[in-house]
Every structure is written in C-alpha cells, then in structure tokens.
Amino acid sequence: MTTTPVPHITITGVPGMPEIQPGDDLAGLLALAAPGLEDGDVLVVTSKIVSKAEGRVRAGDSRTAAIEEETARVVARRGETVIAQTRHGFVMAAAGVDASNTSPGTVLLLPEDPDRSAREIRRGLRTRLGVQVGVIVSDTFGRPWRHGLTDVAIGAAGVRPLDDFRGRSDPYGNPLSATVTALLDEIAGAAELAKGKLSGVPVAVVRGLGDLVTAEDGPGARVLVRPADEDMFRYGSADVVFARRTIREFSREAVDSGAVRRAVAAAIAAPAPHHTTPWRFVLLETAPARTALLDAMRDAWVEDLRSDGFSEESIARRVRRGDVLREAPYLVVPCMVMDGSHTYRDERRNASEREMFVVATGAGVQNLLVQLAVEGLGSAWVSSTMFCRDVVRKVLDLPDGWDPMGAVAVGHPAAPPRERPPRDPADFLVVR
C-alpha cells in the first residue's frame, strides 16, 4: 500500500481591512492588508466586501423587493423564508440578498459575476505584489437535510475547482466511480474558521495548497453549479407542480419502469370519496402490447368516424393526432373503478356519485403526471381510450368494471418544452 504525503496547511485571517465603500480598489486594499502573500497562497475573500466595492448595495427597507429582483426561480417557500435560484445558478436562502454586515436601511446583493471579481482581484494582486496566488470569493449557504451554514465558493480564479478521482483506486484497490471533490468549497469552508461571522475579518490566507494554484485563471466556480438535466433535486416545493408539461416528442431513450411505479405511488396518494381507491394503472411496457392496443383503437376510431360521415382525408388527419402515443416508448392507461361507491334510488345522485369518482381519478392522474416530471420523464395525457372503452378492455383483458380514462404517453423529452403562455390567476378567480 502506497501513501501520499500529507500537506501542511495553515489558514490565517487577515485583519486590518477598512470598511469597504462602493468604488474602492479592493485588490489594492488587500495588498496593503496582506503584503506577505506568497506564490501558491489562496486568498479567500468574503463576497460581502466584493459586493460593497462593486456597488452592489441597495438602499431601502424592502429586502423582499430585492429578493424578487435577484430571483430566477423560487425553489421553496415557508412563511417568509424563501429558497431561490439566482441568475448565477446558485440555490440559496433569499437569493443571496443579505441584510447583515451592512449599514441599517441597506441590503447587499451578490456580485454580478463572482468569477470575474475573483479574476480582477488576482490580477490586481499580481500587479502590486508580483505574486501568483489563487482567489476564492465565498458566501454562506445552507444545505438540504443538514442543520447549520457553511461557506462555499461562488467565484474563483487560479485555483483548480475539482479533483476527479473517478477511474482511480483507493489504497485497498477498490475502484472509485463517483468521487469528485469540490476543492473550492472545501477551501472556502476551511477559511471561514479563520474569518468568522462577527470578528470583522473578511479575508483569510490559505497556505500549503500551492499544487492547486494554476497559472491560468481557469473556469472559476461556475463549474460547480450542476446543470439542470443532471440535477436529481431540481424541483423544489414551490415549482414542482409547474414542472409538469405536456410532451409530444420523445427520444429513443428507454424509460425506467421503477420511475413509473414511483409515479403510480404518488398517484394513489390522491384524495378519493368514501375512503375508496378508485385508481388502476395498466402499464404497457412492451412494444407488442402497445402496438396491439393502438391498432385496435385506430380501427375502432376509423369505423366510428366513417359511420359519422367524415371524409377519408379528415379521418386520416384525425387519426394522426394519436401519433404521440405511437411514438412514446411507454404507455400508461389509467382506469377508474367504482368499488365502494354508493347506489341511490335517485339517478341524479347516482350521476353525482360517478362524477366524484371521475374527479378523484383525475386527481390521481395529475399526481402521476407531476411525479413523472420530477423523475425527469415527459408525458402527455390523451383522452383516446375513453372513446373505445370496450375495445381497450378486450385488448388488455381488463375486468368489465375498469373504466379506461385516456392514455398517458411517457418518455424522455426529445427537446425542451415550448414556453407556456403566462396565465394570471386573477383571471380564474371569483371572490364572494
């Protein structure tokens, strides 16, 4: 077993920084406060003083307005606490808007481009002190499922951001397949121990990591922001419902049947009358099963349209509307069952009873669609099976009491969905 030399690392807070004002030469002030910087040092600078120097100070009492302006999307909200994604891609409390360590009646916004800020500080230190250092701009983040805050890197220059161990082996010979270390965040968190929240020391020097300091500025901290298509936790409580979009074009990528079953688990959590469970879901996981159903439905539909006097051209056009089901690599047929329903002598009450079950089935299908979106799958709910229920029951060998309520095409979107036209909730409200 070979051993790797353990680096000797020191972290030293930099005292003596003045109160930063908009327009201050931050690199010049840092050079005066830390004249002993050496090649290979990493300077970790709290984003607050960067924001102040860059004039990212907003006067006024409304922190809420500032948060709204800095928010690209709200991920979660509880009371007045907002977790938001900024336009930088950071997901953090209050979109990074901070009312601490700033004059009363003002709030601090994050730097416009923290990586650029880090590059400018690095360039200024090289000019003034002639040293090759790395620079990290840090800010405080909370973390899902963990109490407490820690500093992470939101900007960087001249520091290797990640250490990728994939494809290598540990000292016991075990292959590493998923280990990528966020070096920038580790350095930022360690440096905060020498800065502190109340000590008035916004800068720390980390020495002993010269092998991580690069000649080029490098990609910065933006490479630590996970792309949306790789983010398993993309949707927060505030936008999970809006994640559902109707998708009509699918890629050839296979659908994970486990993901569909998890969506069914969400579907059957919907409310239903009389403590019933009116949902049944038929999963068509094989191509022959899907083709048999869709061919039979097409034949039944064509026969009905011909009997209604539609032209062959009109029939062909209408049948093409069902192509979304044929192109999907996976189909789900939701069915309603009336088990547990009440029977009345009054037919109007019986009709209302059925309507309650229809509504409950729709709620279940909505849950299914939303969870499919959370799983990264696209879907389209098509009503076609409702027009030939006997045919569907026969082809799928379903009990007579199962009532097909459309079909859901499922698959991976071939392209991002089109932008949804904005809808104002006020247009759909009646208040008494």
Side-chain angles (χ1 to χ4, degrees), residues 237-417:
S237 59
D239 56 4
V240 64
V241 171
F242 301 99
R244 187 216 65 79
R245 300 290 299 277
T246 296
I247 303 296
R248 300 187 181 278
E249 297 180 5
F250 301 98
S251 72
R252 295 184 179 182
E253 185 178 351
V255 171
D256 176 13
S257 62
V260 178
R261 284 163 171 76
R262 289 190 291 273
V264 171
I268 61 176
H274 314 317
H275 306 289
T276 58
T277 54
W279 320 277
R280 302 293 185 270
F281 296 91
V282 184
L283 310 183
L284 277 65
E285 298 185 335
T286 65
R290 294 191 295 273
T291 300
L293 174 64
L294 296 177
D295 285 351
M297 288 170 55
R298 178 200 58 204
D299 294 344
W301 198 4
V302 168
E303 184 178 345
D304 286 345
L305 291 172
R306 283 175 178 161
S307 66
D308 289 336
F310 286 89
S311 68
E312 293 301 314
E313 180 182 356
S314 177
I315 291 172
R317 186 171 59 252
R318 290 170 180 266
V319 168
R320 280 197 299 271
R321 295 175 185 171
D323 285 350
V324 61
L325 297 178
R326 289 192 180 273
E327 294 176 1
Y330 199 109
L331 292 181
V332 178
V333 178
C335 297
M336 179 184 72
V337 298
M338 295 286 291
D339 296 350
S341 62
H342 296 173
T343 302
Y344 303 96
R345 286 178 292 180
D346 186 342
E347 286 305 315
R348 289 178 301 175
R349 296 181 68 186
N350 285 331
S352 296
E353 184 79 2
R354 176 177 172 79
E355 287 176 350
M356 287 197 304
F357 277 72
V358 170
V359 169
T361 303
V365 174
Q366 172 72 355
N367 280 13
L368 177 86
L369 301 177
V370 169
Q371 185 62 33
L372 287 172
V374 171
E375 296 282 350
L377 294 169
S379 64
W381 187 13
V382 182
S383 61
S384 53
T385 66
M386 300 172 67
F387 295 91
C388 51
R389 286 173 167 140
D390 288 340
V391 171
V392 175
R393 281 191 286 262
K394 180 178 180 180
V395 173
L396 298 180
D397 192 23
L398 304 179
D400 291 340
W402 287 31
D403 209 349
M405 303 295 284
V408 178
V410 181
H412 293 274

Side-chain angles (χ1 to χ4, degrees), residues 86-129:
T86 71
R87 60 180 173 275
H88 316 81
F90 309 140
V91 176
M92 55 194 309
V97 176
D98 201 337
S100 65
N101 291 298
T102 185
S103 302
T106 65
V107 294
L108 292 175
L109 314 181
L110 292 179
E112 286 278 2
D113 185 343
D115 284 331
R116 182 182 64 202
S117 302
R119 292 194 296 270
E120 291 176 353
I121 292 171
R122 187 186 196 220
R123 188 178 309 115
L125 291 172
R126 185 187 303 121
T127 299
R128 289 164 176 80
L129 301 178

Side-chain angles (χ1 to χ4, degrees), residues 183-201:
L183 296 171
L184 295 178
D185 286 347
E186 290 190 329
I187 298 169
E192 180 60 17
L193 296 173
K195 293 186 295 176
K197 301 300 181 189
L198 303 176
S199 61
V201 178

